[in-house]
Amino acid sequence: MFRITEVLQEKIASQDLRAGARLHEQALAEEFGTSRTVIREVLGWLEQRSLVERVPNRGAFVKGLSEKEVLEIFDIREWLESLLTVKATEKAPDGHWQRFLDAFSDPLREQIAAERIDVYNAKLEELRQETARVADNEIANSFIYHVLDRARVIKIRITLLPGRAERGRELHLQMLRCMAARDTEGAERFKRDIISSARELFRKYKPLIL
């Protein structure tokens, strides 16, 4: 069940399954070689994560995001991710963030210049996961994980906007310098800048993003 859930989450996040797409229980059961009972459990879990909507007598559909929901997600992310950044800055041992400082310098700048935005997004996810691990706040992590399930498509589309990836890299690099120096106020400020600047881009380009 966990593997099937992961596959469907990835397809929804990457838009292989777009908002409004119907999820047929029998077809999914045949695709994954399992029973419809298991598929119903998977769809129920995805519904709890607000990724799927089940309509009586019609079936299950991939759930989209409204402008209001996206802006609410940005607000929640700003508070929770700032908290995790501060905690990770306080708890990390000396030198812990050096590998990310190295990665976000010339190597990632060169990848962005070569239009390898997928590499940039992968590095962002690696940093997010490590920040969450070091922060060691299970409640905050559980909330942010739920939010990011829904926000991932928006997040990826924003990084594809002209100039966003390079600007994001620069802000992350400044944040990491603060984290390495145990400057919690600076780290929090740059984390908030990262998210608030993405929010402004969403407002500006929302017809292209939603």
Side-chain angles (χ1 to χ4, degrees):
M1 175 176 163
F2 181 71
R3 182 184 68 85
I4 299 171
T5 304
E6 276 196 325
V7 171
L8 290 178
Q9 276 184 287
E10 178 62 28
K11 285 186 174 183
I12 292 170
S14 63
Q15 287 201 301
D16 286 342
L17 288 170
R18 292 180 175 271
R22 187 174 179 181
L23 302 171
H24 297 273
E25 289 182 6
Q26 185 59 43
L28 289 171
E30 292 173 2
E31 178 182 347
F32 291 104
T34 189
S35 67
R36 291 182 67 173
T37 300
V38 170
I39 296 300
R40 288 191 195 102
E41 291 177 5
V42 169
L43 294 176
W45 191 91
L46 292 172
E47 184 177 34
Q48 290 176 6
R49 309 296 285 191
S50 297
L51 295 172
V52 163
E53 180 179 17
R54 289 197 284 191
V55 181
N57 302 318
R58 291 188 59 204
F61 299 84
V62 175
K63 189 173 181 180
L65 283 170
S66 68
E67 178 184 351
K68 180 176 180 292
E69 288 173 314
V70 172
L71 292 173
E72 287 172 349
I73 286 171
F74 274 121
D75 289 342
I76 293 169
R77 282 188 58 208
E78 185 173 345
W79 285 102
L80 289 179
E81 292 192 43
S82 295
L83 169 65
L84 293 173
T85 298
V86 168
K87 294 299 180 184
T89 300
E90 293 173 341
K91 293 181 179 182
D94 290 343
H96 185 78
W97 305 108
Q98 189 59 50
R99 67 186 176 96
F100 287 103
L101 281 165
D102 293 341
F104 275 78
S105 296
D106 288 343
L108 200 52
R109 180 173 56 79
E110 291 168 2
Q111 293 285 356
I112 291 169
E115 299 185 352
R116 292 298 310 276
I117 306 302
D118 58 323
V119 175
Y120 171 68
N121 280 319
K123 189 56 65 175
L124 289 184
E125 179 60 18
E126 183 183 345
L127 175 59
R128 185 196 67 77
Q129 290 184 9
E130 184 61 11
T131 300
R133 186 189 70 79
V134 175
D136 193 27
N137 187 315
E138 291 185 10
I139 301 300
N141 280 329
S142 65
F143 277 110
I144 199 64
Y145 179 71
H146 177 82
V147 167
L148 288 174
D149 269 354
R150 304 203 65 203
R152 187 174 169 195
V153 170
I154 302 297
K155 192 175 178 182
I156 291 172
R157 288 187 182 184
I158 287 174
T159 62
L160 293 172
L161 293 173
R164 174 57 190 178
E166 176 56 19
R167 178 56 179 156
R169 183 194 69 84
E170 292 170 352
L171 288 170
H172 278 89
L173 190 57
Q174 293 180 77
M175 181 189 74
L176 283 162
R177 286 171 181 153
C178 291
M179 294 174 78
R182 298 193 186 282
D183 175 5
T184 54
E185 290 185 4
E188 180 181 10
R189 183 175 68 255
F190 282 115
K191 171 52 74 173
R192 288 182 180 274
D193 284 349
I194 289 164
I195 296 173
S196 64
S197 60
R199 183 195 294 116
E200 291 311 306
L201 281 175
F202 169 74
R203 286 193 172 112
K204 183 177 180 179
Y205 293 101
K206 63 186 176 185
L208 297 175
I209 294 171
L210 284 179

